[in-house]
Amino acid sequence: MMITVVVPIYHDGYLAEAFCKELQHVMQKMLFKKDIKKNVELIFVNDGSTDNSLDTLLNLTKKYSFIKVIELSRNFGQHAAIACGLIESKGEIVLRANVDMQDPLDQIPRFLSVMKKEECDLVIGKYKKRSSRLVTKIHSYLFFHIFNFLTGFKIPQNTSPLRAMSRKYVIEYNKLTEKSRFPQGIDHWLGFKHKYVSIDHKKRIDSNSSYNFYSRMKMSIDAILYFSERPLVLMVLFGFLLALGGFILVTGLILNKFFGTDFIPGYVSTLSIIVLFFGAQLFSFGLVGLYVAKTFKEVQNRPLFIIRERY
C-alpha cells in the first residue's frame, strides 16, 4: 500500500529535515522495513518561498529517496499548495501535515488503524488542549461558533491540520473548483464517513508562523462567504428591523404633532438616526460587494495554482 504525505512549505524549509527524520522513523517502525520508498511518498509543495527553502528541500531529496518536491510559480496560499499536493499524490491513503510538527507524527499509525477499523474515509485530529497564544485561542473559539451558526455545520473546536484521507475522498476533493479552500468546511460538504481522534498539540519548534492576525481574519471571512448565504439573509432582516424602527419613529412624530404636543427636535437624536442608517447601508453594500467579488473571482476561472517545476 502506498501512503502519501502532503506538506506545504512557505519560508519554513529549515524545519523540513527534522520532519523527514521523524516521518522516516515512524514509517519504518510501522512498516517493519528500513527502505520505505516503495510504500511512502512525501510531497513538499514549495509555495513561492523567497528564502532558501527550495534549496534545502532539493538537498533533502539526495538524502531521503521518498521525497518529491513541487515548486509553485509564486505564493498561492497554504490551501492552494495543499490542493496541488493532493492532485499530485498517488497513495491509496493521503495524509496532510504541517512541517512544524505541532501535530505529532507518531499518531499516523493510530489514524490509519482507526480508518481501517471504522471503515471511514477521513480521520481528523482533534486537540486535547490547544497550545497557542491566547489571542489565537479566542479567535478560533469565536470563529467556529459564528461559522457553525451561519452555515448550520457542526464543526468541533480545536481540529487539527493532521488528517488521513482515503483515495475515494481525495478523488472527490480534487473535483472541487472553488478558488478559496477551507478544509473543515469542505470536509462536511463532501460528506463521507469521518472520525475525530484526540491528539496532543505540541509547541512550535520556532515562533515564526506565517499566519498572522490579518491572514486568520481573511481566511475566516472567506470561509463564511464561500459556505453560507445566511449573512445576506441576516442583512435583509436587519434592514427590515431598521425600516420598522424608522416607521415607528415617524408615526410617533406625526402623532405628537397631531395632538399638539410640543416637540423640539435635537441634533443628537437626528444625527444618531442618520449615522445608524448610513452605517447600516454601508455595511450592506460592503457585504454584497464581498459576495460579488468572490463571484467575479470564480467566474474568472483562473488556475488555483501554477506548477513551475517538479523535482
Side-chain angles (χ1 to χ4, degrees):
M1 180 178 66
M2 172 66 76
I3 299 172
T4 300
V5 183
V6 175
V7 181
I9 296 291
Y10 181 66
H11 293 165
D12 47 13
Y14 57 91
L15 299 174
E17 185 165 8
F19 183 94
C20 293
K21 186 177 180 180
E22 177 65 14
L23 180 67
Q24 184 182 55
H25 173 73
V26 170
M27 290 300 180
Q28 285 175 340
K29 187 176 179 180
M30 185 182 75
L31 298 171
F32 300 103
K33 58 171 67 176
K34 188 174 182 180
D35 186 6
I36 60 174
K37 181 180 179 181
K38 293 182 179 180
N39 299 96
V40 178
E41 68 167 354
L42 170 58
I43 299 178
F44 283 121
V45 183
N46 182 40
D47 187 24
S49 301
T50 55
D51 59 2
N52 64 343
S53 289
L54 180 61
D55 293 334
T56 301
L57 297 176
L58 294 181
N59 287 331
L60 288 175
T61 60
K62 302 172 184 177
K63 186 175 181 180
Y64 298 93
S65 58
F66 55 86
I67 293 179
K68 295 181 180 179
V69 177
I70 298 175
E71 180 190 5
L72 301 186
S73 63
R74 64 171 177 83
N75 176 242
F76 286 89
Q78 183 189 39
H79 295 148
I82 292 169
C84 172
L86 294 182
I87 291 174
E88 295 287 315
S89 68
K90 298 177 181 177
E92 296 172 56
I93 294 178
V94 182
L95 291 129
R96 172 200 161 184
N98 286 346
V99 73
D100 57 21
M101 289 194 293
Q102 282 190 277
D103 307 324
L105 298 182
D106 59 11
Q107 294 298 305
I108 290 177
R110 187 170 161 226
F111 276 45
L112 302 186
S113 176
V114 170
M115 177 176 280
K116 183 178 179 180
K117 185 178 179 180
E118 300 290 339
E119 296 182 348
C120 54
D121 295 288
L122 180 64
V123 179
I124 307 169
K126 186 177 183 295
Y127 299 134
K128 299 173 184 176
K129 184 178 179 181
R130 195 180 187 99
S131 176
S132 304
R133 293 183 304 170
L134 181 61
V135 175
T136 304
K137 291 180 180 178
I138 294 174
H139 173 266
S140 177
Y141 178 83
L142 293 175
F143 166 72
F144 279 105
H145 273 78
I146 294 172
F147 182 83
N148 287 338
F149 169 73
L150 292 176
T151 60
F153 292 165
K154 294 181 180 179
I155 300 175
Q157 291 280 338
N158 298 328
T159 54
S160 159
L162 182 64
R163 60 193 58 210
M165 299 162 277
S166 70
R167 175 49 54 181
K168 287 181 181 178
Y169 178 90
V170 172
I171 289 173
E172 297 306 318
Y173 186 99
N174 290 340
K175 292 179 181 178
L176 299 176
T177 59
E178 63 255 45
K179 303 302 179 285
S180 180
R181 304 293 177 98
F182 178 57
Q184 291 92 329
I186 291 175
D187 293 340
H188 279 256
W189 187 89
L190 284 175
F192 289 98
K193 184 178 180 181
H194 57 273
K195 292 288 182 180
Y196 292 94
V197 174
S198 295
I199 62 173
D200 294 321
H201 188 213
K202 297 181 178 180
K203 290 185 177 180
R204 282 181 63 95
I205 299 175
D206 66 335
S207 58
N208 301 318
S209 174
S210 59
Y211 267 99
N212 52 32
F213 179 77
Y214 172 77
S215 301
R216 290 189 177 91
M217 287 302 298
K218 184 178 182 301
M219 183 194 71
S220 301
I221 293 172
D222 285 347
I224 291 172
L225 294 182
Y226 270 91
F227 282 94
S228 177
E229 69 279 356
R230 196 171 291 183
L232 292 173
V233 177
L234 293 175
M235 184 184 69
V236 172
L237 179 61
F238 182 60
F240 172 76
L241 293 176
L242 281 178
L244 181 62
F247 175 76
I248 293 173
L249 180 61
V250 170
T251 302
L253 292 174
I254 293 174
L255 290 176
N256 278 331
K257 288 293 182 180
F258 182 77
F259 287 105
T261 305
D262 291 332
F263 180 79
I264 302 176
Y267 284 108
V268 176
S269 58
T270 304
L271 186 61
S272 298
I273 293 171
I274 292 174
V275 170
L276 178 63
F277 276 84
F278 180 74
Q281 284 185 323
L282 198 61
F283 172 79
S284 302
F285 290 144
L287 184 59
V288 173
L290 285 174
Y291 274 102
V292 171
K294 299 302 178 186
T295 303
F296 175 68
K297 189 176 180 181
E298 295 297 328
V299 170
Q300 283 179 311
N301 199 29
R302 291 174 180 169
L304 182 61
F305 56 84
I306 297 174
I307 294 177
R308 183 178 180 275
E309 194 64 71
R310 294 178 177 85
Y311 303 94

